[in-house]
Amino acid sequence: MNCDRLEVLIAGGGIGGTATALLLAETGARVRLIERVAEPKAIGAAILLQPNGLAVLYGLGLGERLRAAGVALRHGTIADATGRVILSAPIPDFGDGLDHALVLRRSDLLTILLERVAQHPRIASRFGTRGRWQPNGCG
């Protein structure tokens, strides 16, 4: 039995599961991603990605696709229910192109992640299943 490589099972093919699968696969792990929905769809309208989250996604090589699908914000404003501004401030420049937040549709983010998962040689994915996984016994 070969135990020198990490094998990981991820149950859930949404935004979190696909991003986790990509991150683990990039470290050299063999990843099995299962999802009971045959065609995952993001629920909700939009998502605001802050610079720390963008650093992770850009590190996975998704920057160009994400920027094309979203709108970069270099300034943020928070208002109360009446529209009165509570806070207004620029997004700090954290270096390496991380001087913005990004707003995009959740469905676009999920599509980008799923496409990368499908292309990754260390990720085996199965959708529309309640699949079973047999660990390799490496404890």
Side-chain angles (χ1 to χ4, degrees):
M1 191 172 297
N2 183 357
C3 296
D4 62 350
R5 71 171 192 234
L6 179 64
E7 291 188 34
V8 178
L9 171 69
I10 297 173
I15 291 170
T18 54
T20 301
L22 288 166
L23 288 165
L24 288 167
E26 286 299 309
T27 68
R30 289 251 176 239
V31 178
R32 294 180 190 193
L33 174 68
I34 60 172
E35 168 58 56
R36 67 180 169 174
V37 175
E39 294 181 29
K41 296 178 189 167
I43 297 172
I47 189 166
L48 173 66
L49 300 172
Q50 300 291 331
N52 57 346
L54 290 174
V56 173
L57 295 169
Y58 289 176
L60 289 170
L62 302 175
E64 186 175 320
R65 294 273 325 271
L66 291 171
R67 285 187 294 271
V71 175
L73 300 177
R74 291 185 172 23
H75 192 92
T77 301
I78 299 173
D80 66 15
T82 68
R84 183 176 58 92
V85 173
I86 299 169
L87 173 70
S88 184
I91 305 288
D93 186 347
F94 295 100
D96 294 327
L98 297 171
D99 60 351
H100 63 282
L102 193 67
V103 179
L104 69 158
R105 289 185 179 115
R106 288 176 180 271
S107 58
D108 289 342
L109 174 58
L110 183 58
T111 296
I112 291 166
L113 290 166
L114 286 168
E115 287 172 359
R116 183 59 60 93
V117 161
Q119 298 166 353
H120 205 290
R122 287 193 286 287
I123 301 174
S125 57
R126 185 181 233 181
F127 297 91
T129 186
R130 292 180 184 258
R132 291 193 173 108
W133 181 59
Q134 301 264 325
N136 64 10
C138 297

